[in-house]
Structure formats: structure tokens, C-alpha cells
Amino acid sequence: MKVGPAALSCCCLLVQVLGLALFLRGFFPVPVRSQSRKSSMSEVPAEPRAGTASNWTRPPAALFQRAVVLLIDALRQDFVFGAKGREHMPYITQLMERGATLSFIAKATAPTVTMPRIKALMTGSIPGFIDIVMNLNSHELVEDNLMWQAKQTGKRVVFYGDDTWIKLFPKHFVESDGTTSFFVSDFTEVDDNVTRHLDDVLKRNDWDVLVLHYLGLDHIGHLTGPHSHLIGPKLYEMDLVLKKIHSALISKDEEASLPSLIVVCGDHGMSEAGSHGGSSDEEVQTPLILISSPFQNKAGTLKEPEMIQQTDLAPTLAVGLGLPIPIGSLGMLLPAAVQHKSMREQLRFFHLNGYQLSNLLRENLKAYEKDDGVEQFKKAEKLHANWIKLYLEGNTSEVLTNLGRKLLRQYLEALQKLSSSLSKQVAEYDIYSMTVGAIVTLEMFFLLLLGIPSALSSQSQFDVPLASPVCSLFFYMTCLVLAAVHVIVCTSAENHCFFCSLSWMMAMGILGFIAALLCILLSVLATIIAKHKPSNEKTNSSMSAWSELDLLLLVGTLGHVFSMGASSFIEEEHQTWYFLVNTLCLVLSQDMCRKYFLVRKRDKMTLPDAARGAQEDVYISDLYDARKMELREERLSILERFIKDNEKWIALMSPGVILLCCRLLRPINQTGIQWVHRSDFGHWLTSSDHKAELSFLVGICLVMIFILIQGKCSLVSKAALLFGLLGVYCYRAAVGHVLYPWQQNTKEITKGITEARFVYIFVLGILISGVKDLLKAHVMRTDSTARIVGLWEVYSGLILLAALLFRPHNLVVLVFCLLIQIILTMFVWKALKYDAAQITIMHYWFGQAFFFFQGNSNTISTVDVSAGFVGLENYMELPAVLLTAFVTYSGPFLWAVHLLCYLSGETNKTPTAVAHGCYCYAILRCLPVTVYILLVTGLRYHLFIWSVFSPKLLYEVLHLVVSAGVCLMFTVVDKNQVASSDV
């Protein structure tokens, strides 16, 4: 069966996406947990005893009458313990200075997004990294957790705030009111909806646990960053909320038998860009403050907060409320929280915590008895039994007190070792699912690789041998072997395997598909070997025909791929692409100098080689004649006449101008790990002190975008583009990013919904106009002009959408993107006559570089989720996901669409340009993702697997999905070209 290169590449990418989905399902392991059961009060162990029976066999009583959990989303530790806290949170600072609190810095684990962090706080377990994907659509939490335990023991829990809690704990609250956490444009109503309930609920006594989850601080961070002028007022608002709660509970404590507890904490921090999801200190370090009257006995000096794990809150809250510790908790009871109790009670609490941790380790580690933590816990348990014996005998000497202190230290050491062992113990990787997914991905890559000679030939067709491999004996034997392996693995595997959980029909279908692909690959390989037996002379001549540019593109692409095996190169990947595009500019400059200076001089110096000199002279003569003929056919404007008269010097300067543009783009957004903490030009522009400068820059950028993009659009699209860009400025002014020229600071800040929807209308209008021209070119079989105009209008609509969604200072990046594309198109590619493969690789390189110029990185925290809510009044999952994905990958995507526009204009000279470009682009995306899944498989036990390699894996997979959509566009346009060329 013969297929075109574009169709083949599109199918291969789509199949690779399915294979990678299976690989991801096996790669992200289930974290340490015990889902089979939940702890109960009846399972609480009695005190250790040695000879004498203990009279403490029941679960310990609660330490606090009621508890309030004040969770402030994205509360960074320096927002409380730093200068911002002292300035904007005076009440909590006063409490800490009086010694009325227990202050800690709770360290979270990646991914630092809301849903996994709530799970960590309530279960004490470490959520899996794949929970970052599930964060968009949370499901009921089936693990043992504090909310379930509170409900089982009859405690009444009231909740107000982020509706993620309601999704995780349905029917657990006697009263609740949720607000969506994903509508990040709103940082007032989401908090007002929580606060409006406070006066009523604090007056009542019909609740035991009150959970308040405030979202406004997180939304401000996403919109304007951690140094925004909006941060201070929001922190002060949270301080007033705490003051109101604390004052109300103090009055209730006078009548209650037990004190109340207030927990002030954050689920995660906030990066310097205002986002979260990664593993930087700003994202993982959050404050944890316990406020209660028993803590008043502390010294009044303000000490440096102790560093703890976020999972330590779960056992501490469980003990404080008289609940069983969640069975899957990895946390340690905070000693300071129970210091006000007697020695016997403290020992009892630590014994319960150690008993729970050792049981959890028993379920997750076969040789758990040899663990240092288990051995030390058993020793402490024996010493505890002796201490109980002495205590019950009435011994009250100082020896008993010193022995109790020593026992406490032993328990703490044992708990630390047990918690550390459990943190390192994750469920085994689903190697079988990973292997099947990797095999599918590899087969697709090798199919594309073997198809290069046929797909990039002048005929541009690839013959896929379907009949002979599928009907061969080898195919059926392979199917039988794979089926036998599947049966053996699925019947003998002790751990859960996702691929084995599929239906047998589906599993056999996938295995049959793998066998068929293997047969097709072997058949294609045999055909290539039979047809092509190159001699040494051919090989040498073909290698000598490679230019410096070809070697750079090959070595640069392969070098980047293999550099992903090092964590440092992943963290600072932007440096690789900056280096490659800068080197590319130097090679382009060399080729340009060779074209205009060295070719003729070399012809004169190499007179004996007459044939070669004549061929180069004819090539140069034809090139200049064709260019002059094109200029004579149209009426030249002043700018075009200037370009014609100075074409040589403009062309020579073009690589240098591109190099200068790339250098100017680098300081706009600091990215990576090493220098991200340093202020960049984007931070300077977005600060409240430089709003006038930002307004001027945004206005200039929008004018430049119109000038650079409108040239090839129809008159209607030009008008729509003009009004759309005007709407972009109005939207930025409405949300407070820029100023109206006629109205300085009196304009109230709104969500800009009307202005954004105004722009969306023009974006849709331009896209519809472009699609109409494409359909016209396809159905009516018109000339290529309508198709080129249609593609350019689609591209213009995407540029307008990017201008709306980009952060305001990143409009500079968009302008430079368009400027570099125009320079390359007008003065480099056509003048130097590069082929489709070379131009495709250059587009890919620049697209990757602009991914980082925009401020992106390989950490989740740089994803601009605020772009997904532009123009939305309520949270809608699909539009938010699509808009966020578009902004994140706008650099590679816009360069890929520009590649399609450029190659479509070249089809009159090279009819297979679009097909060749699509095929090369598919290989460029298949290569890194295929190599990378092999690398992460080998490095799955690396120290940085979750903080560095896993986020990069998600980025690569999502980039492949975007690339599959790009190749689909190429395929449609390539079919249009075939239809037009047949006429």
C-alpha cells in the first residue's frame, strides 16, 4: 500500500501518542500506601507491657476540643516569616513573638499542585507524580484520611473554599460551600465566598473541625507574580481572618474543657514567576503554624522555624483530635505539639506513631525486619515496657524522668528512620506496561527512519508492505510468542499491572499490532538492503557533498537528544538551544558570504575545473535573473526599491540581525534553575512602578505585530486584525496590566471578560476566513494563491490569539518571532536555496528556542495557567486546557505553522515540499521522545527522577501530541496541493 509521507508521519505520531500513554501509565508508580483497609479505633495497640498489665489499653483521648485548619493556597514561607509577613501580617507576627505558637517550615514534595498537597496533608502519604495530571479532575480519595476518620468517630466537619476538597471527600462534611480553584482571574470573590460564612459558623457550637481553603493569594501569584502590589493587601486580609478566628475561639475556650487548635498552613509555595508545580525552595517550603493556649508556656523569643515534612501534619492532627493515625501516613508526630502533656502520654503518642509506621513498612518491604528503623523501634518498645513497669510501681525518682527522656529520643530516632525508609519505598514500576508502550514507540520511530529514502525522494511516496508480512508464518509465530509472554506475566505478576487489567481482546489486539509492525519493519529493511548496495565511492562522494550547515543540523539535533541523559542539561536546556541557534546564525552568515564573495573568486582560481565553474556560474546567473524578473513584474514601492538596490548588503546583514534579536530576547525572561532567582527585564516591566513603560512597550509591540503580519492578509482580515489588536490592549488595560493613554489610575481593575471575548470574535473571524480560502482552493481547484492566503490568515489568527494570551511583556517575544521569520523568508532561505529538510530543521530549532525565550522551562511551575481563563467567566475545563496548552507550546507551534505557510508557497517550484517538511518534522519529534523514554527507564531510580526527569517526560509527551496536530495540518494541506496539481 502506497501512502504519502505526510499521511505516514501523521499516523506514526498518533500511534506513538498511544504507546506513550501506555508507557506513562506504567512509569508513574503508585506511591507507598495501604488501600486495602482503613485504621480503626479497635486496632489501636495498648501500651507496651513487661510483666505487669497496663491500664492504658484504650485509644488516647483528644488533646483539643475543636480545630480550625486555615489553608492559604500558595502561602510561601517568607510571606509569613519574612519581611512581607512582618509588614502585612501583624497579628500572626505578634502571636509568634509572644511565644503563643509553634512555628515550622513544612517541606512539600513535587508535584507542588493543590490536589496532591491536600492528599498529603490529610493522609500523611506522598502522592504520585501523575497526580499533577489528575489535579484538573479530582476524584474521591479512597485512602485512609483524617476526614474519613473524623466522620467515622462522629465528629462534625464544616468546609468552605476550594471545591477540590468536596471532590476528594464527598459526603464527609455536614456543611460545605465550594468555589472553583481554576478560575485564576478571580482573587476577591473566591475569598469573600469563604469569609462570608465565618461570623455565623464561629458563633455556633455544632462543629468540631472547620476547614477554610482560601484561593486568592494563589490566583494573584498566577496573574502578577509574588512581588505584585496585590500580595500585601491579600496577606493583610488573611491576617484579619486569623484574628477573627482566634478571638472567637479564645472566648469559647473559657467555657470548654479542652482548648481549641488553629492550624495555619499553605498547600504549596509560589515560584518567582508566580506559579507552582516544581521543586524549587520557593515552591516546596510553606509555613505551618499551630496556635493554641497550651503553647503559651513557650519562651517569648522568636526562634528560627524548624524544618519538617508536610506529611507530619497528618499524625499530629490525628493525635490532637483523638483519631487513629491514617494507615498510609509517612509522617512523624511533632514533639512540640505534645510537650505540654505528661511523659507517659508523650511516650504513648510516639509508640502509636511508630507502631503505625512499622506496620506500613511491613506491607511495602519484604525484608522489613532488617530495617534500622524497625530494629530501633523494637528496642525502644522494650525500653518503653520497662519504663511503664517502673511507673506503675510508683517510682517517681529522677531516674525515671531521665529514662523517659532517653526513651523519647530513641522513639524520635526510630520514627525518623522509619519515615525515611518509607519515603524511599515506592511501589514497583509497572515494567510490563512500560515495555509494551516503549516497543510501540520504537517501532513507529524505526518505521519513519527506514522510510526516509522513499519518503524524501522526488516521487515522495512510501510503500507499506501490509499483505506479505501479515500473511507470513513469522507474523503468526510472533503473535503466539507474545501471547504466551502475556499469559505468563499476567498470571505470575505479584503486583498490579495496567496492561494485564485490559480485556484480553484489547490486549491481544495490541500485541498483534506489535507483531505486524515488526514484520513490516523487517520487510522494509530487507527491501532496502536488496535495492541499495552502495559502493565505497558512492559513500565517500555523498559524504563529501554535505555542507557545514548539514553537519551542524545533524550534530546539533543528535547532541541535544543525547544531552537529555544528564539532569543538568535538562534543567538548563535553554542554554543548549540558545547555543544552537546562535551557531546556526554564524553558519548562515558564512553561507551568505560564500554566495556573494567567495564563489566568483573561487571560480577564477580553479580554472582547470571548467565544468564545475560553469555550473556554478549558471546557477548564480539564473538566481539573479529570476530575482530581477520577480521584481520587474510588480510595481515597486519605496521600501521594495530600497531592498532591491541594497539586497546584497541586507542579505549579508540578516544573520547578524537575527543573532542580535536572539541576544536581546535572553534577558526578558530568566529560566532554568541556576539564574531563575535573578530579576529579569520581565520582572522590571511588570512591577507596579513601571506600568507606564510597559504600556508604551505593549502599544509599540501591537503596532509592530500588525505591520509584520498584515501584508499577505485580505482586506477584511486586515481590518479584523487591527480591531483585534486594539481589543488586546483594552483587555490588558481592563485587568490592570497597562494604562489607558487618556486615563491613568482611575480605571477600576476588572476581569476583562468583555474585552477578551471581543478579541476572540475577531480571532474566530480571521480563522474562518482562512479556512474558507483553503476550502475554496481545495473544492474549486483554484490556483495556489487562495491556498497561501488562507494559510497566512490562519497563521494571523493564531498570532492574534497569542497576543491576547501572552503575558504583556512577552509581546516583545512575539514581535521578534515575526521579525526573524520575515528576515529568514525574504533574505536567507530563498537566496541560499535551502531544501525543505534544512528549512524544517531550522524552524524546529527556532521553535524550541522561542519556547524558552517565552520563559518556559522543564519544570511545571513555569506553565502559565492564567492564560487558560482569559475571557472565561466560569471555569470550563476543555477551553482552559486548550488555551493553556496553546500558550505553553506557542513557540514551537507558531514556527511549525509558519513552516507550513512557507513550504506551501514553494510547492510551485518543489511540489513535494510540504510532504517532505511534514516527514522531517515528525522525525524531529519522534527522535527525542523515543530516546528519552529509554533514558528515563534506565534512570528511573535516579535521585532527580521526580524533580527533573519526570516533568521533562510530561513536557515531551504533550509536545508530541501538539506535533501530531501539526502533522495533521500538513497532511490536509498536502492533500489540497495534490488535488490542485492534478488539474
Side-chain angles (χ1 to χ4, degrees):
M1 182 181 72
K2 292 185 178 181
V3 296
L8 177 64
S9 59
C10 183
C11 293
C12 287
L13 287 186
L14 291 174
V15 175
Q16 261 203 337
V17 169
L18 297 178
L20 285 171
L22 185 59
F23 178 86
L24 289 179
R25 186 59 180 81
F27 177 77
F28 291 107
V30 179
V32 174
R33 63 187 60 171
S34 180
Q35 295 183 347
S36 58
R37 58 189 178 88
K38 293 181 172 66
S39 59
S40 64
M41 302 296 284
S42 60
E43 296 178 354
V44 175
E47 276 185 319
R49 48 191 175 183
T52 305
S54 171
N55 58 353
W56 275 21
T57 57
R58 295 181 180 180
L63 305 181
F64 304 102
Q65 183 77 23
R66 57 173 56 87
V68 177
V69 178
L70 178 58
L71 195 156
I72 304 173
D73 208 296
L75 184 65
R76 243 163 58 162
Q77 62 91 8
D78 60 327
F79 286 175
V80 176
F81 302 129
K84 280 188 173 67
R86 290 188 292 271
E87 180 180 359
H88 302 294
M89 304 189 77
Y91 187 75
I92 195 170
T93 302
Q94 181 184 3
L95 290 177
M96 290 188 293
E97 289 175 348
R98 291 205 324 248
T101 66
L102 298 177
S103 302
F104 307 95
I105 296 177
K107 188 175 181 180
T109 57
T112 47
V113 291
T114 298
M115 190 270 284
R117 296 300 97 222
I118 295 175
K119 291 173 66 174
L121 289 169
M122 292 296 103
T123 65
S125 62
I126 300 178
F129 198 90
I130 198 62
D131 282 326
I132 195 171
V133 179
M134 304 303 295
N135 186 58
L136 294 174
N137 189 15
S138 306
H139 300 283
E140 181 179 0
L141 184 62
V142 297
E143 300 171 53
D144 192 7
N145 59 83
L146 292 178
M147 294 295 102
W148 187 88
Q149 292 291 351
K151 181 182 177 182
Q152 292 301 113
T153 54
K155 293 188 181 295
R156 296 154 297 180
V157 185
V158 177
F159 169 76
Y160 305 114
D162 185 357
D163 61 359
T164 304
W165 287 77
I166 300 176
K167 296 175 182 177
L168 289 173
F169 311 109
K171 301 179 182 179
H172 286 62
F173 307 118
V174 295
E175 182 181 330
S176 63
D177 186 11
T179 56
T180 179
S181 61
F182 296 106
F183 192 66
V184 298
S185 299
D186 174 26
F187 50 84
T188 55
E189 294 181 11
V190 287
D191 288 348
D192 292 342
N193 191 58
V194 179
T195 306
R196 67 186 177 91
H197 297 283
L198 278 183
D199 291 333
D200 177 60
V201 75
L202 291 175
K203 292 178 182 177
R204 297 169 4 214
N205 292 317
D206 59 349
W207 56 271
D208 300 298
V209 180
L210 174 62
V211 181
L212 307 172
H213 189 150
Y214 283 90
L215 293 162
L217 185 66
D218 178 65
H219 291 184
I220 290 174
H222 283 298
L223 287 172
T224 58
H227 305 294
S228 167
H229 65 283
L230 300 173
I231 293 289
K234 180 57 67 175
L235 292 176
Y236 184 69
E237 178 187 343
M238 297 295 100
D239 195 57
L240 292 178
V241 169
L242 174 63
K243 183 177 181 180
K244 178 183 292 188
I245 297 171
H246 190 223
S247 301
L249 293 185
I250 287 177
S251 61
K252 290 181 179 295
D253 285 352
E254 297 175 356
E255 303 174 358
S257 58
L258 292 175
S260 300
L261 172 68
I262 301 177
V263 179
V264 182
C265 62
D267 54 347
H268 51 73
M270 183 188 299
S271 69
E272 286 300 307
S275 188
H276 52 87
S279 55
S280 65
D281 289 343
E282 293 80 8
E283 296 166 80
V284 301
Q285 293 183 6
T286 65
L288 175 61
I289 302 171
L290 306 180
I291 305 172
S292 185
S293 56
F295 307 146
Q296 295 282 356
N297 297 326
K298 286 176 48 186
T301 56
L302 188 60
K303 298 180 180 179
E304 190 73 19
E306 179 185 353
M307 183 76 72
I308 63 169
Q309 296 299 317
Q310 194 180 55
T311 52
D312 294 343
L313 179 62
T316 304
L317 265 182
V319 168
L321 295 174
L323 305 175
I325 299 175
I327 200 169
S329 171
L330 278 65
M332 292 175 47
L333 172 64
L334 298 176
V338 294
Q339 274 185 349
H340 62 283
K341 306 302 289 185
S342 66
M343 179 63 70
R344 185 183 183 186
E345 289 175 302
Q346 293 184 52
L347 293 175
R348 170 77 164 144
F349 297 142
F350 288 116
H351 174 252
L352 292 177
N353 196 183
Y355 181 83
Q356 173 264 324
L357 289 175
S358 60
N359 282 345
L360 182 61
L361 188 63
R362 181 187 297 113
E363 296 180 10
N364 289 275
L365 185 65
K366 293 181 179 179
Y368 80 99
E369 293 181 350
K370 298 180 180 179
D371 184 81
D372 292 340
V374 174
E375 292 179 354
Q376 186 157 354
F377 174 71
K378 290 181 178 180
K379 293 179 181 179
E381 200 173 29
K382 292 180 181 178
L383 185 61
H384 189 183
N386 294 330
W387 188 93
I388 292 294
K389 180 180 179 181
L390 293 175
Y391 179 84
L392 294 178
E393 291 175 354
N395 192 332
T396 58
S397 64
E398 187 177 351
V399 176
L400 185 65
T401 303
N402 293 333
L403 184 62
R405 292 173 181 172
K406 178 181 178 182
L407 180 55
L408 278 178
R409 289 194 296 268
Q410 287 195 4
Y411 265 135
L412 287 175
E413 292 176 4
L415 291 177
Q416 289 175 350
K417 292 180 180 180
L418 287 170
S419 181
S420 177
S421 298
L422 284 166
S423 299
K424 297 175 182 178
Q425 292 295 322
V426 295
E428 295 182 5
Y429 290 91
D430 186 353
I431 297 296
Y432 186 40
S433 299
M434 290 172 59
T435 303
V436 175
I439 290 175
V440 173
T441 305
L442 284 169
E443 287 182 333
M444 289 294 98
F445 172 69
F446 284 121
L447 182 61
L448 285 174
L449 207 60
L450 293 176
I452 289 178
S454 300
L456 299 185
S457 64
S458 57
Q459 296 180 353
S460 190
Q461 286 185 342
F462 183 75
D463 189 8
V464 181
L466 291 179
S468 54
V470 173
C471 297
S472 64
L473 179 61
F474 181 76
F475 168 73
Y476 295 106
M477 292 295 296
T478 305
C479 288
L480 287 175
V481 171
L482 293 177
V485 171
H486 182 72
V487 171
I488 294 173
V489 171
C490 294
T491 54
S492 60
E494 297 180 358
N495 298 319
H496 174 74
C497 175
F498 174 74
F499 192 66
C500 293
S501 66
L502 299 177
S503 64
W504 282 94
M505 183 175 296
M506 182 178 294
M508 290 302 142
I510 295 175
L511 295 177
F513 179 72
I514 292 175
L517 280 177
L518 179 61
C519 294
I520 291 173
L521 286 173
L522 294 177
S523 179
V524 172
L525 182 62
T527 304
I528 293 175
I529 294 175
K531 288 185 177 180
H532 302 284
K533 295 181 179 180
S535 62
N536 292 333
E537 294 182 0
K538 282 188 177 182
T539 303
N540 294 334
S541 62
S542 62
M543 289 299 295
S544 62
W546 282 48
S547 64
E548 292 92 341
L549 177 66
D550 296 327
L551 291 174
L552 171 65
L553 295 177
L554 177 63
V555 173
T557 301
L558 294 178
H560 163 259
V561 169
F562 292 110
S563 72
M564 293 189 298
S567 61
S568 298
F569 276 98
I570 293 178
E571 292 175 337
E572 307 295 328
E573 186 183 356
H574 61 286
Q575 300 286 6
T576 302
W577 289 113
Y578 294 167
F579 173 78
L580 289 178
V581 295
N582 291 344
T583 308
L584 177 61
C585 291
L586 296 178
V587 174
L588 293 178
S589 180
Q590 175 186 335
D591 285 355
M592 201 68 73
C593 292
R594 181 184 290 117
K595 168 183 167 55
Y596 286 106
F597 295 116
L598 300 182
V599 172
R600 290 184 177 180
K601 185 181 292 186
R602 186 177 61 189
D603 289 343
K604 294 178 181 179
M605 296 176 62
T606 56
L607 293 177
D609 196 356
R612 182 176 180 182
Q615 183 179 4
E616 291 176 345
D617 286 337
V618 170
Y619 169 77
I620 296 172
S621 179
D622 291 343
L623 178 63
Y624 278 97
D625 290 342
R627 181 62 178 164
K628 291 178 180 178
M629 187 177 299
E630 292 176 0
L631 293 174
R632 290 195 194 102
E633 290 177 353
E634 56 185 358
R635 190 173 180 178
L636 300 179
S637 63
I638 297 176
L639 179 61
E640 290 170 334
R641 187 173 299 279
F642 175 80
I643 293 175
K644 175 193 172 185
D645 296 339
N646 301 277
E647 178 184 6
K648 174 181 177 181
W649 301 110
I650 293 176
L652 288 171
M653 292 173 58
S654 296
V657 173
I658 297 173
L659 187 62
L660 178 62
C661 291
C662 292
R663 186 62 189 90
L664 292 175
L665 284 170
R666 293 183 64 172
I668 293 178
N669 293 294
Q670 291 285 2
T671 185
I673 299 296
Q674 291 185 353
W675 313 111
V676 70
H677 61 282
R678 293 192 174 184
S679 297
D680 49 38
F681 191 57
H683 286 129
W684 184 84
L685 280 173
T686 53
S687 65
S688 57
D689 298 332
H690 304 102
K691 187 175 288 188
E693 291 86 346
L694 180 62
S695 303
F696 177 76
L697 183 63
V698 169
I700 293 297
C701 289
L702 293 176
V703 172
M704 288 296 298
I705 290 173
F706 178 76
I707 294 173
L708 295 173
I709 204 68
Q710 55 83 33
K712 298 180 183 179
C713 296
S714 63
L715 183 61
V716 175
S717 295
K718 288 181 181 179
L721 182 63
L722 178 62
F723 285 109
L725 292 172
L726 181 62
V728 170
Y729 191 91
C730 293
Y731 166 74
R732 291 299 172 190
V735 298
H737 292 156
V738 299
L739 300 171
Y740 283 115
W742 59 88
Q743 196 173 14
Q744 294 300 316
N745 294 320
T746 58
K747 179 71 176 177
E748 293 184 1
I749 297 176
T750 66
K751 298 178 183 178
I753 294 175
T754 303
E755 292 83 355
R757 291 178 178 178
F758 178 80
V759 179
Y760 282 137
I761 292 174
F762 289 108
V763 170
L764 289 176
I766 297 173
L767 292 177
I768 291 172
S769 177
V771 173
K772 180 197 69 175
D773 290 336
L774 289 175
L775 292 176
K776 180 180 178 182
H778 178 60
V779 177
M780 300 183 65
R781 306 292 181 90
T782 59
D783 57 9
S784 60
T785 305
R787 183 182 68 255
I788 296 173
V789 171
L791 282 172
W792 191 258
E793 287 182 339
V794 170
Y795 181 61
S796 302
L798 296 174
I799 292 292
L800 178 57
L801 180 61
L804 173 66
L805 300 179
F806 271 26
R807 293 184 181 270
H809 69 279
N810 272 339
L811 289 176
V812 180
V813 180
L814 192 58
V815 170
F816 276 115
C817 173
L818 296 173
L819 184 62
I820 292 174
Q821 289 173 353
I822 290 177
I823 293 174
L824 289 171
T825 301
M826 293 181 61
F827 306 111
V828 178
W829 291 326
K830 290 184 179 179
L832 296 177
K833 295 293 182 180
Y834 291 136
D835 58 29
Q838 293 171 320
I839 293 173
T840 299
I841 299 175
M842 292 183 206
H843 270 88
Y844 177 75
W845 280 22
F846 276 104
Q848 291 296 100
F850 271 86
F851 174 83
F852 295 102
F853 282 143
Q854 188 184 335
N856 292 315
S857 69
N858 288 321
T859 61
I860 307 299
S861 59
T862 53
V863 176
D864 183 14
V865 298
S866 64
F869 308 95
V870 175
L872 300 182
E873 194 167 5
N874 296 302
Y875 173 65
M876 291 183 287
E877 184 173 335
L878 183 59
V881 171
L882 292 178
L883 292 176
T884 303
F886 173 78
V887 169
T888 303
Y889 294 98
S890 58
F893 184 69
L894 291 177
W895 275 89
V897 177
H898 182 268
L899 172 66
L900 178 58
C901 295
Y902 177 80
L903 294 180
S904 296
E906 295 293 304
T907 51
N908 292 331
K909 301 177 183 178
T910 309
T912 58
V914 173
H916 289 177
C918 180
Y919 200 83
C920 291
Y921 192 83
I923 293 178
L924 287 171
R925 283 309 309 143
C926 279
L927 175 62
V929 76
T930 303
V931 173
Y932 192 70
I933 62 172
L934 299 179
L935 289 174
V936 296
T937 301
L939 298 172
R940 62 188 182 275
Y941 297 113
H942 193 279
L943 179 63
F944 300 133
I945 186 64
W946 301 122
S947 59
V948 178
F949 292 101
S950 294
K952 175 62 175 175
L953 178 61
L954 291 178
Y955 270 109
E956 287 294 324
V957 173
L958 292 176
H959 194 178
L960 187 71
V961 175
V962 174
S963 301
V966 169
C967 287
L968 185 61
M969 295 174 61
F970 272 83
T971 304
V972 173
V973 174
D974 185 45
K975 288 183 176 293
N976 289 340
Q977 170 59 26
V978 171
S980 300
S981 62
D982 292 341
V983 177

